[in-house]
Amino acid sequence: MSTTQAGPARRSRRAGYTAATHRSILEAARRLFRERGYFAVKVEEVARAARVSPATVYAVAGGKAGLLRSLMRLCAAAPAVTANLELIDRAGDPGRVLDLVAATTLDMRREWGDVLRVIMATAPHEPDAAASLAEATERYRSGLRLAAQRLARIGALRSGVDVAHADALLWFYFGYSSLFTLVDDLHWSDGEAVAWLRTAAADALLAPAAGA
């Protein structure tokens, strides 16, 4: 290999190693945060679980605050969310809009519920966590606003329910609290909880002629 080729190859290998190390650290942190809570976990324990040095955790992931921020950004950027938002924006049937919102909620619960619980428990006591939660919540709520706007455009909203009201109702039914209450406190299954929330949202939002 020539000298000119060696430089880019080394940089590529280094970038691949850094990305793999970051993933390993994130996976270790996610497991430890889930099992013990954010504040009970030390950087040294994350490093040991990921088989790296504490200095590497700080350098690659930004310490505990950086780890939680990265996990929340991955949650907010989940591919299922992006794909469903595109489908919502094209849906012509109000029932389909709510089905997509419910499916997104269920996907997020199953894939990222542990991260959401950790950051919601941490945010009241940690400014960085609060900022990460606010960023992710705004992204999630923008999807609910899109659904409210789509329902309004296809003439599906109940009389007296405008876009702002629909947005608020969608947040009430499909935000964090309602689902966690049904599943964590009342011990419903994920599927049962989301199905009930979807039916209740349809009753609250949709005009009788619109269908659910």
Side-chain angles (χ1 to χ4, degrees), residues 88-188:
I88 286 169
D89 199 37
R90 298 197 302 267
D93 175 69
R96 176 64 172 156
V97 173
L98 291 183
D99 285 343
L100 289 164
V101 172
T104 302
T105 302
L106 186 58
D107 288 344
M108 292 295 291
R109 159 78 190 189
R110 288 176 171 170
E111 187 174 356
W112 295 101
D114 60 323
V115 173
L116 288 169
R117 283 196 194 86
V118 167
I119 201 161
M120 288 172 69
T122 306
H125 315 286
E126 175 63 54
D128 284 339
S132 295
L133 179 60
E135 178 184 334
T137 298
E138 175 53 33
R139 177 175 170 79
Y140 184 59
R141 291 205 65 176
S142 70
L144 297 179
R145 282 194 293 274
L146 178 68
Q149 291 162 356
R150 187 61 185 162
L151 290 171
R153 282 200 302 273
I154 62 178
L157 293 177
R158 181 181 292 277
S159 176
V161 177
D162 60 12
V163 170
H165 192 183
D167 177 33
L169 286 170
L170 286 168
W171 176 245
F172 175 79
Y173 288 110
F174 296 107
Y176 309 133
S177 299
S178 295
L179 182 58
F180 285 153
T181 295
L182 291 173
V183 175
D184 295 342
D185 297 343
L186 300 180
H187 309 297
W188 291 23

Side-chain angles (χ1 to χ4, degrees), residues 27-38 41 71 111 113-115 117-118:
E27 289 167 3
R30 181 174 180 175
R31 177 175 58 79
L32 291 170
F33 292 163
R34 178 177 63 246
E35 292 173 353
R36 298 171 50 197
Y38 177 82
V41 175
L71 286 169
E111 187 174 356
D114 60 323
V115 173
R117 283 196 194 86
V118 167

Side-chain angles (χ1 to χ4, degrees), residues 66-83:
L67 286 165
L68 198 58
R69 185 164 53 249
S70 293
L71 286 169
M72 202 62 198
R73 286 178 176 168
L74 286 172
C75 172
V81 174
T82 301

